[in-house]
Amino acid sequence: VTTLNGRRGDVVVLVPAAGAGVRLGSGEPKALRLLGGEPLLMHAVRRLGEARCVGCLVVAAPAGYEPVVRALLASQASVGRQVIVVGGGPQRQQSVAAALAAAPAEFDIVLVHDAARALVPVSLVDDVADAVRNGHDAVVPALPVPDTIIQVDQAGGQVGSLVRSTLRAVQTPQGFRRSVLAAAHRAAAVHAAAPATAGTAATDDAGLVARLGTRVHTIPGSEAAMKITSRRDLALAEALLAQPQPVASPEA
Ligand code: CTP
Ligand code: MG
């Protein structure tokens, strides 16, 4: 496995792409919905493939769509990385676990990146990997929260207030030492199967790692790494994509 600049990438990226996209409304699974005429998954994979650190990608495809996704990825010549496609599970956590199980053992650093964050900057991918390489076992990109966030009870009454300056919205790619992510997923599978905690699958991987007591390090996130959830997000992403890209000045 060689990277585009000829150096070997030491990172495997797991790409959960198996969600239905219920909040986008009826249509194809979200990862196959078009943005600028191209499936969300292809935008994400191309950006991941352009990152220096990446040696291999493992995509968790919607169940039954594995052949479609394999064909799409084969047509994307610019990826230039080893790409493995597996079937995803009913919840994100299970899709990530399936991808992790298929990741070649030689990679000691594992990133997890949502296909729904299609416009992730290439530099953010390398920044997360660098932070793991520099000794952090778990790394997440995070942004300050613009809204005031409150906690409510089941009736919708406010029960707690949170200090906004201490809150962050977390994004992907999230990066891990492989042994740390694997241990977190083993514990999560037990957790999800136990009657008392069934139905509490985590919405991100750093959350699983934190449950085991591992410290999660944050680095600055990026607005471009926003998750496309709603039709409005898709329209916003179309606008971001249509923006003229900054051109490097010749003397720089
Ligand atoms: N995902 C997955 N397997 C699932 C559910 C989600 O791989 N069973 C992936 C999605 O494809 C997406 C990422 O996890 O890339 C984040 O999930 P989300 O934004 O919630 O996507 P969906 O689950 O597809 O959307 P919705 O919740 O609206 O159905
Ligand atoms: Mg979902």
Side-chain angles (χ1 to χ4, degrees):
V1 180
T2 49
T3 62
L4 296 177
N5 65 8
R7 277 178 36 206
R8 190 185 168 80
D10 60 350
V11 170
V12 60
V13 190
L14 316 180
V15 186
V22 171
R23 288 169 289 178
L24 260 188
S26 60
E28 292 281 289
K30 181 157 73 182
L32 300 177
R33 299 286 281 264
L34 301 184
L35 167 63
E38 198 184 16
L40 291 181
L41 174 64
M42 301 311 291
H43 286 276
V45 162
R46 191 174 54 248
R47 285 154 195 271
L48 294 167
E50 282 171 11
R52 269 182 301 113
C53 66
V54 174
C56 176
L57 294 150
V58 186
V59 176
Y65 284 82
E66 296 92 325
V68 175
V69 167
R70 273 191 202 102
L72 266 175
L73 291 166
S75 72
Q76 171 91 50
S78 73
V79 172
R81 299 287 193 276
Q82 182 185 4
V83 182
I84 297 167
V85 177
V86 298
Q91 289 185 300
R92 183 185 181 282
Q93 183 182 304
Q94 290 150 325
S95 297
V96 174
L100 180 60
E106 69 205 81
F107 295 98
D108 186 44
I109 298 177
V110 182
L111 265 52
V112 184
H113 181 68
D114 292 331
R117 298 182 188 272
L119 300 183
V120 61
V122 175
S123 58
L124 185 61
V125 182
D126 282 316
D127 289 349
V128 170
D130 283 344
V132 178
R133 215 175 279 117
N134 290 338
H136 297 288
D137 284 343
V139 177
V140 300
L143 287 176
V145 179
D147 293 315
T148 294
I149 309 277
I150 62 168
Q151 255 181 332
V152 294
D153 58 24
Q154 289 197 336
Q158 180 168 348
V159 292
S161 59
L162 302 165
V163 178
R164 189 173 62 189
S165 61
T166 68
L167 299 176
R168 296 291 180 273
V170 299
Q171 303 181 315
T172 73
Q174 301 188 346
F176 307 93
R177 194 58 63 190
R178 186 193 187 114
S179 55
V180 167
L181 184 64
H185 272 274
R186 278 194 300 274
V190 173
H191 187 89
T197 47
T200 60
T203 53
D204 81 334
D205 300 280
L208 297 180
V209 165
R211 271 187 201 165
L212 292 193
T214 298
R215 181 177 167 82
V216 176
H217 177 69
T218 65
I219 66 167
S222 161
E223 288 190 350
M226 63 176 254
K227 186 156 73 78
I228 297 170
T229 303
S230 63
R231 307 280 316 203
R232 182 179 171 279
D233 297 333
L234 199 52
L236 179 57
E238 293 277 4
L240 285 175
L241 199 62
Q243 272 178 7
Q245 298 305 303
V247 179
S249 63
E251 64 272 27

